């Protein structure tokens, strides 16, 4: 079974947890490490003959168009992560529409391909802003991967379906990050900080359970900054934020390499949309 490998293309200073500490108007003045980290990711995927989907920020695309072209030239799927990494839950419908429309236009102009997929920053579509899905559909997106069916202090919709579904009962598809249902709750099995925190053997067991017990492909994600232990350290942040962001950065690249060997991977559109009407 092929699983979907996805990368959220953003830099270390753009993560939502740092938003109270890093002013948005300071982004251009900070050392950006996206080119270095993306080159390493593309080389690793090429080494393992793997294609992936890259949910890319419009802010990154505008400043580093060569990164977008490298994604497309290497046979990967180009998808949207919005323009400015603002949580969908913090925006009005008009602001959200402007953000996703700007990002989609930039990515398509630079990449020369249609952008069908979208992932909200911090999985910030949930029960309180399901209107965002209708806006996505109107903007021309065919699918979203923005609703995480877990309980988390910053995001999550625990009662959402665990696997692909049509939230609007029309042609828009939602592909949630993978979870395993154990002990009466959904446990995250789809990557990110959870993947860095848990022992690799546990993550592998959870994903194999999704494949073999649930009979479903996994949706896995990570960020370029997660393979970069040498990134500048942010001062003045709380212990929880510091731990979540920096835990096991030195091990992440090796774990991704193990993952690429232990499972079969492909782009979201080829894993989930090949049979979509």
């Amino acid at each position: 079974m092929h699983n979907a490998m996805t990368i959220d293309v953003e830099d270390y200073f753009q993560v939502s947890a740092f938003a109270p500490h890093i002013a948005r108007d300071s982004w251009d003045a900070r050392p950006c490490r996206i080119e270095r980290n993306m080159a390493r990711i593309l080389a690793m995927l090429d080494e393992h003959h793997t294609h992936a989907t890259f949910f890319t920020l419009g802010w990154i695309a505008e400043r580093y168009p060569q990164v977008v072209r490298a994604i497309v030239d290497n046979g990967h799927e180009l998808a949207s992560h919005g323009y400015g990494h603002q949580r969908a839950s913090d925006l009005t419908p008009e602001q959200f529409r402007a953000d996703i429309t700007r990002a989609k236009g930039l990515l398509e102009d630079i990449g020369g391909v249609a952008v069908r997929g979208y992932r909200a920053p911090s999985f910030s579509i949930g029960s309180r802003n399901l209107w965002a899905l209708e806006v996505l559909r109107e903007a021309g997106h065919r699918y979203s991967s923005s609703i995480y069916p877990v309980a988390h202090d910053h995001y999550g919709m625990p009662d959402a379906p665990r696997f692909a579904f049509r939230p609007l009962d029309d042609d828009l598809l939602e592909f949630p990050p993978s979870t395993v249902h154990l002990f009466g709750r959904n446990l995250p099995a789809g990557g990110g900080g959870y993947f860095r925190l848990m022992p690799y053997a546990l993550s592998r067991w959870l994903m194999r359970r999704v494949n073999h017990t649930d009979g479903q492909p996994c949706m896995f994600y990570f960020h370029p900054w997660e393979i970069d232990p040498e990134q500048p350290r942010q001062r003045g942040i709380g212990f929880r934020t510091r731990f979540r962001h920096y835990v096991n950065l030195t091990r992440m690249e090796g774990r991704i390499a193990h993952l690429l060997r232990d499972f079969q991977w492909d782009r979201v559109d080829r894993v989930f949309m090949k049979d979509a009407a």
Side-chain angles (χ1 to χ4, degrees), residues 195-233:
F195 183 71
R196 286 185 284 116
L197 176 62
M198 294 187 292
Y200 177 74
L202 176 57
S203 292
R204 181 176 57 195
W205 180 84
L206 290 169
M207 285 185 277
R208 284 178 173 169
R209 184 180 175 93
V210 172
N211 285 169
H212 300 305
T213 301
D214 296 314
Q216 295 284 339
C218 288
M219 170 73 80
F220 186 88
Y221 75 98
F222 71 100
H223 309 84
W225 56 261
E226 289 186 281
I227 66 162
D228 185 11
E230 297 174 0
Q231 64 188 262
R233 297 284 170 135

Side-chain angles (χ1 to χ4, degrees), residues 7-272:
I7 297 92
D8 293 355
V9 183
E10 63 195 59
D11 221 327
Y12 65 95
F13 52 82
Q14 297 173 313
V15 300
S16 294
F18 286 175
H21 309 282
I22 297 178
R24 188 172 293 273
D25 60 10
S26 75
W27 283 5
D28 278 313
R30 294 183 178 270
C32 202
R33 298 175 65 82
I34 198 70
E35 291 178 287
R36 166 192 178 276
N37 294 331
M38 281 293 295
R40 290 169 66 182
I41 290 169
L42 290 170
M44 185 163 44
L45 293 173
D46 183 63
E47 179 184 350
H48 291 88
H49 309 289
T50 297
H51 290 108
T53 292
F54 288 81
F55 292 100
T56 306
L57 279 184
W59 190 95
I60 294 288
E62 197 169 48
R63 288 157 179 80
Y64 301 95
Q66 65 275 18
V67 168
V68 172
R69 296 188 187 106
I71 290 170
V72 175
D73 290 346
N74 281 274
H76 303 290
E77 182 188 12
L78 182 63
S80 174
H81 200 33
Y83 178 81
H85 208 264
Q86 292 173 283
R87 298 184 192 212
S89 52
D90 291 341
L91 301 176
T92 65
E94 292 74 21
Q95 291 170 330
F96 180 70
R97 180 178 289 104
D99 180 89
I100 64 169
T101 302
R102 183 181 184 184
K104 191 173 189 292
L106 274 168
L107 292 167
E108 291 182 337
D109 287 347
I110 295 169
V113 294
V115 169
R116 300 192 294 170
Y118 170 83
R119 175 173 286 157
S122 299
F123 302 104
S124 52
I125 296 179
S127 56
R128 296 183 179 180
N129 65 333
L130 291 175
W131 52 260
L133 298 169
E134 177 64 27
V135 178
L136 284 173
R137 186 189 64 78
E138 292 172 355
H141 288 286
R142 288 286 313 281
Y143 75 85
S144 162
S145 180
S146 305
I147 299 176
Y148 208 155
V150 296
H152 188 279
D153 54 343
H154 291 309
Y155 56 77
M157 187 176 170
D159 57 347
R162 291 175 52 224
F163 303 113
F165 65 104
R166 297 180 185 270
L168 302 177
D169 294 326
D170 62 7
D171 57 347
L172 183 78
L173 291 155
E174 175 66 33
F175 304 131
S178 292
T179 58
V180 167
H181 192 72
L182 287 174
F183 313 117
R185 60 181 298 180
N186 294 336
L187 303 180
Y194 302 108
F195 183 71
R196 286 185 284 116
L197 176 62
M198 294 187 292
Y200 177 74
L202 176 57
S203 292
R204 181 176 57 195
W205 180 84
L206 290 169
M207 285 185 277
R208 284 178 173 169
R209 184 180 175 93
V210 172
N211 285 169
H212 300 305
T213 301
D214 296 314
Q216 295 284 339
C218 288
M219 170 73 80
F220 186 88
Y221 75 98
F222 71 100
H223 309 84
W225 56 261
E226 289 186 281
I227 66 162
D228 185 11
E230 297 174 0
Q231 64 188 262
R233 297 284 170 135
Q234 177 62 31
R235 298 179 179 180
I237 56 178
F239 173 78
R240 178 184 290 187
T241 297
R242 182 178 301 278
F243 179 77
R244 285 176 172 174
H245 188 87
Y246 296 115
V247 65
N248 285 333
L249 291 183
T250 57
R251 299 180 179 180
M252 185 64 167
E253 189 167 356
R255 289 184 176 184
I256 294 295
H258 278 296
L259 203 64
L260 294 174
R261 289 192 295 267
D262 288 343
F263 295 86
Q264 297 295 312
W265 301 96
D266 206 344
R267 303 159 31 143
V268 170
D269 56 353
R270 293 204 286 245
V271 172
F272 288 105

